[in-house]
Structures are given as C-alpha cells and as structure tokens.
C-alpha cells in the first residue's frame, strides 16, 4: 500500500459517483450490466478511452459506467463541459489514472491534489520559465535537437527505409525537454533501442492504466509481477533524476539558467519559500514524462494526417517556404507565422488530444448546466476526444480532418471551452506554449525537408497508456529540393493575430473564454 491508497486499494479521497450525484439513476449506462463487475462486457482493458468513446456515441453527452463496483460519470457535451470549466464552482479532480501515478510523481504539478501547497509554490516559481523571453532562449536548443532528428531521417531516406514516427518523435521530444529544461542529453538518436528512461516511463504509465482494469482489492495479487516491475521502473526514474540533480549541484548553474536552476535556486517571490529536494525530484520527473509523452503523440498524429492528405501537406509546405524562405534556420518569431501549420497541429489535437480526458470536481453543492445535481466533491470525467467531436459545435462532419476549422473566422464563431487539449483553468498544462512552439517548429522543418509518403494499407490504430499515440505508424520520405527565394515575412493579410500569430503570449485555444 502506498501513501496515496486506502485499505481498499483505491486512492485516498476517491468517491464513487453514487456518493456525489443524487440523481445518478437519470444518467444512461451501457446495457448488459453484470453484478459486481459492472459494464465490462465487450470492452478492451487496453483501450478504455476508445471504449468510452463508443459508449458516448450511443448514450449521449453525459453517461455513467460501472467498473468493479465503482461508478464513473463521463461528460462530453459542449454545454456541460463549458459549465464544468467554471472555476468559481469547479476545480481539477485528480482522477484514478492520474492518482495511480502519485507513487512516482507525488505532489508534482500534474498529480498534486488541490489542497497540497507545493502545487502553487512550484507553479509560481516555474511559470517564468515559460515566458516569452524564456521560450526564445529554448528555441536554439530545439533547433539543435531537431537537427539530430533530420540527420537520422536523412540516413533512412538515403537507404530507402521508412521511419518509425512515434519512436522518433519520442526521441525528439525527450531530448528537447531534457536539454532545454535540465541540461541533460539522453543520447536517444545514438541508440538502436529506446533509452531505459523511456522504457521505465512507459512502464509506469501502462501500470497506472492497468490498475484501473482489475478490482482494486485484488490488484496486489493479480498484478504482483507487474507491480514489481513498476517498483523497479520508479526506482530507475528516481535514480536517473537524482543523478541529474546531483550533477547540477556540483557543476553549477546552466548558462542562461533553465527549469532545473529555477527549481534549485529560486525562492517564491512573496513568501521566500523554496522547493524541497523531494519535490524537485517529483517536478523533474513530471516535466520529463509529461513534457515529452504528449508532444510526441501530437506530432505523430499530425504527421499521419499530413501524409494521408497530400493537398493539406502541400498547402502547409508552401506556407513554410513562403515564410521561412531560404533562411538556414527559422528564427523564434518566424515559427509563430506558420499559422496554417499551427492549424494542422490544432486539428490533430482536436481529433486525438494526447491527454484524452480531464476530471473536474464540485467545490460546493451545485447543479451542472441547470440539470444534474452534484454534491461538494462530486466529480466527472470530461472525455476530450468526444468534446472535440460534438456535432452541435463542430458539425456533422466532426470526424473529418480539416485544419480550416481553426481559421480566425471559424474560431470566432464557436463558443468558448470547446477545445481543451491542455485541460482547463488554473491547473491547465503549464508547458502548453513550450509544446506548441516545439511541435510547430518541428512540423515546419520536416515539411520543408521531406515529402511524406503514407504506407499503403496502413489504418490508424491508437494505443493507450493514459496518453494516446498512433501504433505502428511508419512513413516513407523523399528529400525535397531547396525552396525558391521568398520574402520571409510574406504572410497573407487575411491571417490575423486571432488566427494564431504571436508565439509567446496567445492562448493556445485562441479564445479569451478558454
């Protein structure tokens, strides 16, 4: 039993939905419930998100599922999700999957409970690390890591080999956050197999998801071997980070400072409080895991769609050629001018948000959207891929890939709180601008350098390990000739700030309401 669990095997504070929803019986649930086991017939424990999406289509914008005696409420209707975004009545809820990561991430930014003081302390200390000025400083290192990726892909293209997109995007994003945030090089592109840190990270994420697929009291028996591997994975992650911190303490601050320097040296501007050594470790693990796992998935989905839609890829590539011209490498400000490339990324995140759900809990007794009573502490899980497919907002063709859904006029026509790939409110992802700049930069560089060839017969299959990732995605490459000279700032007049210009300060979802 860990510090986060009770004698039932469930995280402390877990409330099954019947304890917080007085009219739970009104919510539809899947047919063919089985006593004790609940709604498990026909489900695949390896794909709980996609199972829930299937039920969502059949049951409507709010529904419930029962698994091993635990009731869960799912929400995906845009009106309901918008109400849950009200920060005066609702706050982040650390759901079961996230709580299962607390043995490794503790009270890190992503896994902290709302009452834990280290969340606010760490947020206030680290927020300047994602300012416009800080982001501009990371840009050069992002370019250097991207150069290692293109060297790797050049060799594959020359040899006529396809490339492993998810694997290579994972290498790219791990090296990017490790170098920009912590001055560390994992040597991912020099390895024929994933770095052990990645293997351990995937192991902890997969174990956290598996814990939800068995009855909690039986987990210590049914997952005994998996639990031992998970303990070893956590030990490895902790040791890796401890070595990294120890090296920094002995070697001095990084040139220009980075996230690790902020964690070790910066006091809270008002209280003077500093992060403890244990919390530093938890924050580093949080950033290394969350800072690369979701971005690698977003890039992989975007590259899949670009390869499947050559006309969209050609339009995005033309923008890169026009905006960047013959410059050997784009400047920081030039990345923000890739507005159509950014739309491609946003549309990929709409269809497959790599963090596919977030939970919200009631701060007091309330009524959700004027219809569903909730007691204080009651919570619901917002199923983001379905929110992003709500036909009342996105149209009858919501399942179709169309980056123009994110042009300025289309964005202004939609209500707020309908696009939530980074969560919502005060606990939304602190590193979202870092991820968006990195992903837009990388897509621009790859489009500029290669024609992307989809593999015949490949059909998108999504693998789940709390995050989402394309499975088995490989692409063929063809080197392009250099683009024709173009004015570096030739951006059509119809592209405005509301359409995504300004890399540092804009909201990632383009709406003040979000």
């Amino acid at each position: 039993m860990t510090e986060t669990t009770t004698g039932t095997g469930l995280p402390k504070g877990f409330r099954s939905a019947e304890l917080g929803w007085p009219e739970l019986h009104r919510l539809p649930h899947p047919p063919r419930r089985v006593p004790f086991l609940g709604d498990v017939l026909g489900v695949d424990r390896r794909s709980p998100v996609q199972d829930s999406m299937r039920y969502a289509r059949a049951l409507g914008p709010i529904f419930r599922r029962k698994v091993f005696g635990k009731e869960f409420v799912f929400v995906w209707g845009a009106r309901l999700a918008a109400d849950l975004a009200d920060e005066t009545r609702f706050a982040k809820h650390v759901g079961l999957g996230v709580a299962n990561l607390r043995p490794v991430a503790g009270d890190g930014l992503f896994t902290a409970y709302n009452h834990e003081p280290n969340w606010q302390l760490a947020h206030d200390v680290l927020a300047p690390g994602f300012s416009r000025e800080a982001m501009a400083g990371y840009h050069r290192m992002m370019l250097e890591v991207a150069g290692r990726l293109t060297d790797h892909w050049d060799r594959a293209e020359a040899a006529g080999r396809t490339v492993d997109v998810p694997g290579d995007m994972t290498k790219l994003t791990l090296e990017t956050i490790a170098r920009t945030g912590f001055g560390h090089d994992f040597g991912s592109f020099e390895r024929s197999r994933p770095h052990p840190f990645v293997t351990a990270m995937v192991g902890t994420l997969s174990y956290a998801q598996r814990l939800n697929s068995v009855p909690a009291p039986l987990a210590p028996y049914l997952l005994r071997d998996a639990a031992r591997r998970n303990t070893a994975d956590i030990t490895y992650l902790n040791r890796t980070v401890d070595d990294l911190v120890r090296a920094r303490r002995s070697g001095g601050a990084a040139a220009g400072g980075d996230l690790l320097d902020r964690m070790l040296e910066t006091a809270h501007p008002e209280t003077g409080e500093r992060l403890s050594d244990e919390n530093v470790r938890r924050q580093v693990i949080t950033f290394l895991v969350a800072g690369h796992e979701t971005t690698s998935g977003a890039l992989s989905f975007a590259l899949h769609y670009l390869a499947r839609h050559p006309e969209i890829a050609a339009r995005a590539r033309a923008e890169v050629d026009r905006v960047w011209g013959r410059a050997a490498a784009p400047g920081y400000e030039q990345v923000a001018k890739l507005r159509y490339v950014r739309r491609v990324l946003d549309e990929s995140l709409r269809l497959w948000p790599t963090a596919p759900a977030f939970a919200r809990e009631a701060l007091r007794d309330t009524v959700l959207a004027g219809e569903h009573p909730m007691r204080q502490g009651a919570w619901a899980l917002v199923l983001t891929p379905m929110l992003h497919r709500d036909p009342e907002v996105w149209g009858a063709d919501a399942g179709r890939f169309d980056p123009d859904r994110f042009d300025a006029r289309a964005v202004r026509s939609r209500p707020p709180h309908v696009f939530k790939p980074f969560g919502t409110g005060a606990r939304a992802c602190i590193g979202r601008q870092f991820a968006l700049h990195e992903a837009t930069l990388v897509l621009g560089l790859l489009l500029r350098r290669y024609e992307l060839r989809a593999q015949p017969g490949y059909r998108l299959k999504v693998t789940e390990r709390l995050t989402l990732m394309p499975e088995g995605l490989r692409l063929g490459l063809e080197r392009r000739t250099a683009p024709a000279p173009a004015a570096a700032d030739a951006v059509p007049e119809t592209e405005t700030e509301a359409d995504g210009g300004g890399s540092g300060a804009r909201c990632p979802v383009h709406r003040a309401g979000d």
Side-chain angles (χ1 to χ4, degrees):
M1 187 188 309
T2 72
E3 57 93 16
T4 59
T5 60
T6 65
T8 65
L10 293 169
K12 291 180 179 179
F14 174 78
R15 291 166 60 90
S16 189
E18 67 271 11
L19 301 177
W21 294 75
E23 299 181 9
L24 186 66
H25 63 277
R26 293 174 48 204
L27 304 184
H29 65 77
R32 300 184 299 158
R33 276 197 164 179
V34 177
F36 176 67
L37 295 179
D39 305 315
V40 298
L41 293 180
V43 303
D44 186 340
R45 63 181 178 83
R46 295 168 298 182
S47 57
V49 171
Q50 292 165 89
D51 279 343
S52 295
M53 292 172 66
R54 178 164 51 86
Y55 285 130
R57 295 184 184 100
L59 299 174
I62 181 169
F63 64 99
R64 56 189 167 117
R65 291 183 66 185
K66 191 171 189 175
V67 182
F68 304 127
K70 306 185 291 285
E71 285 270 17
F72 300 86
V73 173
F74 292 81
V75 167
W76 62 271
R79 186 172 60 89
L80 296 164
D83 201 40
L84 285 169
D86 181 354
E87 288 281 291
T88 67
R89 294 161 49 228
F90 298 96
K92 174 171 177 168
H93 174 79
V94 178
L96 274 183
V98 176
N100 290 339
L101 291 173
R102 282 181 60 89
V104 62
D107 56 354
L109 283 170
F110 181 58
T111 47
Y113 293 118
N114 293 318
H115 66 271
E116 291 180 308
N118 273 333
W119 178 81
Q120 192 68 59
L121 171 62
H123 185 276
D124 293 348
V125 166
L126 293 172
F130 296 98
S131 67
R132 187 181 186 87
E133 294 74 22
M135 289 294 304
Y138 302 145
H139 177 77
R140 179 182 58 79
M141 283 182 278
M142 290 182 179
L143 281 169
E144 290 176 3
V145 177
R148 293 164 70 180
L149 169 70
T150 54
D151 287 347
H152 180 67
W153 279 22
D154 283 351
R155 290 191 293 271
E157 190 271 341
R161 300 192 306 267
T162 60
V163 291
D164 171 10
V165 174
D168 289 343
M169 293 305 106
T170 296
K171 292 177 180 180
L172 170 89
T173 55
L174 175 64
E175 292 298 336
T176 299
I177 186 60
R179 291 196 60 189
T180 58
F182 309 104
H184 186 71
D185 189 334
F186 282 101
S188 298
F189 287 104
E190 290 69 50
R191 294 173 174 269
S192 59
R193 299 170 62 87
H195 190 282
F197 185 92
V198 173
T199 304
M201 179 271 302
V202 171
T204 58
L205 291 174
S206 300
Y207 181 75
Q209 180 159 300
R210 286 190 67 188
L211 279 177
N212 293 339
S213 68
V214 299
L218 300 180
Y221 309 101
L222 298 178
L223 300 179
R224 182 176 299 161
D225 290 342
R228 279 198 291 266
R229 288 194 298 273
N230 185 59
T231 299
D233 288 337
I234 292 173
T235 299
Y236 180 82
L237 294 174
N238 288 340
R239 185 171 65 248
T240 300
V241 171
D242 288 347
D243 289 346
L244 190 155
V245 172
R246 191 178 303 110
R248 176 61 58 85
R249 288 192 188 280
S250 62
D258 59 14
L259 292 177
L260 183 54
D261 284 339
R262 291 182 184 277
M263 293 180 192
L264 295 176
E265 306 296 338
T266 304
H268 191 280
E270 296 177 4
T271 67
E273 189 177 1
R274 295 177 181 270
L275 297 178
S276 68
D277 288 348
E278 181 181 46
N279 191 254
V280 167
R281 172 204 278 172
R282 291 170 171 176
Q283 303 298 354
V284 173
I285 289 176
T286 296
F287 277 105
L288 285 173
V289 174
H292 92 275
E293 174 74 0
T294 51
T295 309
S296 61
L299 278 165
S300 298
F301 283 116
L303 289 166
H304 164 73
Y305 284 116
L306 287 167
R308 300 292 294 185
H309 298 275
E311 73 287 355
I312 291 174
R315 184 176 170 188
R317 186 175 291 110
E319 179 186 62
V320 176
D321 290 347
R322 182 182 68 246
V323 174
W324 290 1
R326 285 188 178 275
Y332 171 72
E333 297 293 343
Q334 283 183 298
V335 175
K337 295 176 181 177
L338 296 185
R339 290 160 186 168
Y340 187 74
V341 174
R342 172 61 187 276
R343 290 185 212 166
V344 169
L345 179 62
D346 284 344
E347 179 68 348
S348 302
L349 284 167
R350 182 185 71 84
L351 288 172
W352 293 109
T354 48
F358 59 93
R360 301 285 284 172
E361 67 179 46
L363 296 173
R364 59 179 184 274
D365 291 357
T366 189
V367 180
L368 177 61
E371 296 181 44
H372 304 286
M374 297 175 67
R375 297 191 181 102
Q376 180 179 356
W379 61 280
L381 197 66
V382 179
L383 193 57
T384 319
M386 291 303 297
L387 169 64
H388 292 175
R389 287 171 167 82
D390 187 339
E392 292 187 8
V393 173
W394 302 97
D397 65 344
R400 181 172 63 88
F401 182 78
D402 179 9
D404 282 336
R405 296 181 200 275
F406 289 91
D407 73 22
R409 288 176 293 276
V411 169
R412 286 194 296 266
S413 72
R414 287 193 292 269
H417 304 299
V418 297
F419 182 57
K420 294 289 186 179
F422 296 98
T424 192
R427 297 290 301 272
C429 175
I430 191 175
R432 57 190 175 272
Q433 290 299 341
F434 182 100
L436 291 167
H437 183 86
E438 175 189 7
T440 305
L441 169 65
V442 170
L443 288 178
L445 291 169
L446 296 180
L447 285 165
R448 189 189 206 193
R449 195 174 190 89
Y450 307 106
E451 298 279 353
L452 306 171
R453 307 298 187 200
Q455 295 300 286
Y458 177 79
R459 294 294 178 266
L460 181 62
K461 183 177 181 181
V462 178
T463 188
E464 301 183 26
R465 52 195 188 211
L466 292 186
T467 60
L468 304 181
M469 180 78 77
E471 182 176 321
L473 174 62
R474 302 190 71 89
L475 295 179
L477 304 172
E478 183 179 328
R479 280 293 300 272
R480 297 181 65 223
T481 56
D489 295 318
V491 181
E493 292 182 1
T494 55
E495 306 283 8
T496 67
E497 284 296 307
D499 190 28
S503 178
R506 64 191 152 89
C507 174
V509 287
H510 317 307
R511 294 281 312 219
D514 280 341

